[in-house]
Amino acid sequence: MLKWMIRLGTGLVLVLGVLFWWLILSGSDAAKAAPGEFDLSDWRSKAAAPTEVLPTEIRIIEVGRDIAPPFAAQAGRFGAPISMTYNAVEIIYPDKTIIIGGAVDRSTAETMTQSAAEWRFSDTAYDALAQAMLTADQVLMTHEHLDHVMAIARHPDPAALAPNLVLNAPQIDALPLFAIGDLDPALKALQPRLSGRVESIAPGVVIIPAAGHTPGSQNVFITLQNGEEILLIGDIVWNMGAIEALKTRPVLTQYLVFRPNYEDRDAVKRQVRALHDMMAVEPDLNVLPAHDRDWLIAAAEAEGISFLPAN
Ligand SMILES: [Zn+2]
Ligand SMILES: [Zn+2]
């Protein structure tokens, strides 16, 4: 009897060990190389415009924040939790604005809560964002996930918002998933206004399709009047430590968090490598992931980048 119990126990430990390895550690290394994945010189040439028509600054408008377990954000990372921000980015021109990101609304943020002590949501910031979308020249998103679309999919005045929306086809296709009830007819009728190729949408702003994390994921390259260059990378990584360590999120996160489970992990691994190598040769480029709160606060030390915290 005892012998059987020991065998059973050993078997169980082995199974748990394999599960731990598969879910937390395995299959998360960045590609060894990613030639041609991203082309910064192409983005620079497409962003080029006379200085006076370039944007003057970007503002990261935080609507909520929380923390996340390190092992869920970056395979093999343990220790202190990662500080997560939920936000949208406003690009400010002398005469107009562009908003990137629909952010997350209160009810969705509540369902995503990781730490009751650290969780915050600002109704004031969210309402101001929804309002700012109506006067913005264009409204885009980095990708079609619940924490990046809600002020679009659930906007209080979709008919007024719709003409400002500049989305790609997979982003439009995903909107019904995030509506409360039926998607508003004005949003149902949206047509893609992005080509799926690298393209400039305004002076100094270039959209770079980067399918992987989701089919509609894209980066946004921004050149400011003062010469600062900014690259919004959405959720290619959640925290910049992952780029430094050349890791992506673990398989566990793939199955637990992403619904539907359509992340193309190989594409993300190439993108992590490409960003890592780009940052090594372009140390002045401001690479900004959507959620890494500490990194974004530090990035806002640069002239022309500000971070408006949700209290
Ligand atoms: Zn995402
Ligand atoms: Zn996200």
Side-chain angles (χ1 to χ4, degrees):
M1 183 66 183
L2 183 65
K3 211 189 318 180
W4 279 107
M5 282 177 73
I6 291 171
R7 278 183 191 172
L8 197 67
T10 312
L12 206 63
V13 167
L14 272 175
V15 167
L16 288 176
V18 168
L19 260 183
F20 176 83
W21 171 82
W22 177 59
L23 287 172
I24 306 284
L25 301 175
S26 77
S28 301
D29 290 338
K32 293 269 179 286
E37 188 71 25
F38 291 143
D39 184 352
L40 182 59
S41 61
D42 177 44
W43 310 343
R44 280 180 172 146
S45 72
K46 290 189 164 82
T51 303
E52 64 274 15
V53 298
L54 290 174
T56 53
E57 59 169 310
I58 69 158
R59 293 180 191 149
I60 302 163
I61 303 168
E62 184 176 60
V63 300
R65 61 183 167 95
D66 202 349
I67 54 173
F71 62 83
Q74 175 187 329
R77 184 180 180 123
F78 300 96
I82 290 170
S83 190
M84 299 281 281
T85 169
Y86 298 93
N87 57 63
V89 174
E90 189 173 35
I91 305 172
I92 314 282
Y93 286 84
D95 58 345
K96 65 181 176 191
T97 61
I98 293 174
I99 292 178
I100 313 286
V104 66
D105 61 345
R106 171 179 279 276
S107 61
T108 307
E110 279 170 355
T111 66
M112 293 165 59
T113 305
Q114 296 287 312
S115 159
E118 299 292 334
W119 187 91
R120 298 283 186 285
F121 188 86
S122 167
D123 294 306
T124 310
Y126 184 81
D127 293 346
L129 173 66
Q131 201 55 41
M133 285 177 165
L134 297 180
T135 51
D137 196 54
Q138 304 180 53
V139 176
L140 297 90
M141 64 171 86
T142 57
H143 67 291
E144 64 281 23
H145 265 165
L146 76 173
D147 48 329
H148 302 263
V149 306
M150 290 310 184
I152 294 172
R154 299 179 177 181
H155 196 280
D157 192 351
L161 174 67
N164 303 349
L165 290 172
V166 178
L167 306 181
N168 63 34
Q171 294 172 351
I172 292 171
D173 292 346
L175 286 181
L177 295 174
F178 306 110
I180 297 172
D182 261 0
L183 187 67
D184 187 272
L187 299 179
K188 260 188 200 159
L190 288 176
Q191 294 296 319
R193 289 175 63 190
L194 291 167
S195 66
R197 294 184 293 275
V198 177
E199 64 187 307
S200 171
I201 55 152
V205 179
V206 175
I207 302 299
I208 302 124
H213 178 61
T214 65
S217 285
Q218 56 192 10
N219 298 335
V220 183
F221 178 70
I222 305 161
T223 303
L224 299 182
Q225 286 192 9
N226 67 6
E228 287 287 352
E229 293 179 322
I230 296 149
L231 182 64
L232 308 180
I233 61 167
D235 283 4
I236 290 178
V237 295
W238 283 347
N239 63 305
M240 289 301 284
I243 290 182
E244 197 185 332
L246 286 165
K247 291 281 185 186
T248 183
R249 285 165 289 258
V251 171
L252 172 84
T253 306
Q254 173 93 42
Y255 288 105
L256 277 191
V257 180
F258 301 140
R259 305 270 164 74
N261 175 29
Y262 50 23
E263 187 173 61
D264 176 347
R265 290 175 64 81
D266 287 337
V268 175
K269 290 176 197 176
R270 286 195 304 275
Q271 293 164 0
V272 170
R273 164 58 72 179
L275 290 170
H276 174 276
D277 294 357
M278 188 190 299
M279 290 178 70
V281 293
E282 298 282 350
D284 293 335
L285 178 66
N286 297 283
V287 176
L288 307 184
H291 296 304
D292 188 334
R293 192 167 197 269
D294 294 341
W295 181 271
L296 294 181
I297 289 171
E301 306 265 309
E303 194 78 30
I305 302 177
S306 54
F307 182 90
L308 312 176
N311 293 312

